């Protein structure tokens, strides 16, 4: 291997999205959407496409970029699955 320095990526994706692992180790993206009723967080599983997306409305004072991963996991567990409209 070459002597290239290893840099840890400490930046977040644009728009305030967060990536975190759930209790089973799957990677999820948490994307915030600011609305008048509060903050809607949309969860998308990026490591297993078979998982349904989920969404939850949280207190407007909360910011996805400032919460602990345990909080994101709790929100994910509480969020209902997004289904098809038929």
């Amino acid at each position: 291997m070459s002597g290239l320095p290893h840099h840890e990526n400490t930046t977040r994706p644009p728009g305030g999205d967060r990536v975190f692992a759930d209790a089973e180790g799957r990677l999820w993206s948490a994307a915030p959407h600011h609305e008048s009723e509060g903050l809607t967080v949309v969860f998308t599983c990026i490591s297993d496409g078979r998982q349904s997306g989920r969404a939850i409305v949280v207190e407007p004072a909360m910011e996805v970029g400032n919460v602990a991963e345990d909080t994101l996991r709790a929100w994910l567990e509480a969020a209902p699955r997004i289904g098809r409209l038929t």
Side-chain angles (χ1 to χ4, degrees), residues 3 9 13 15 24 36 39 42 51 53 56 58 62 65 71 73 76:
N9 185 3
E24 283 83 38
S36 61
L39 176 69
V42 178
Q51 297 297 314
I56 191 170
V58 297
M62 303 296 280
T71 302
R73 283 191 275 282
L76 175 64

Side-chain angles (χ1 to χ4, degrees), residues 12 18-22 66-75:
R12 298 196 197 277
R18 288 274 303 273
V19 174
F20 67 100
D22 67 8
N66 297 330
V67 298
E69 285 194 13
D70 287 341
T71 302
L72 290 173
R73 283 191 275 282
W75 289 349

Side-chain angles (χ1 to χ4, degrees), residues 4-79:
L4 294 175
H6 173 71
H7 295 285
E8 191 172 317
N9 185 3
T10 58
T11 60
R12 298 196 197 277
D17 292 13
R18 288 274 303 273
V19 174
F20 67 100
D22 67 8
E24 283 83 38
R26 294 178 295 231
L27 293 178
W28 290 81
S29 168
H33 297 275
H34 297 274
E35 300 177 19
S36 61
E37 297 84 25
L39 176 69
T40 301
V41 182
V42 178
F43 296 97
T44 305
C45 188
I46 57 178
S47 64
D48 184 354
R50 297 172 294 179
Q51 297 297 314
S52 296
R54 301 176 190 188
I56 191 170
V57 175
V58 297
E59 295 180 33
M62 303 296 280
E63 287 293 331
V64 171
N66 297 330
V67 298
E69 285 194 13
D70 287 341
T71 302
L72 290 173
R73 283 191 275 282
W75 289 349
L76 175 64
E77 288 298 316

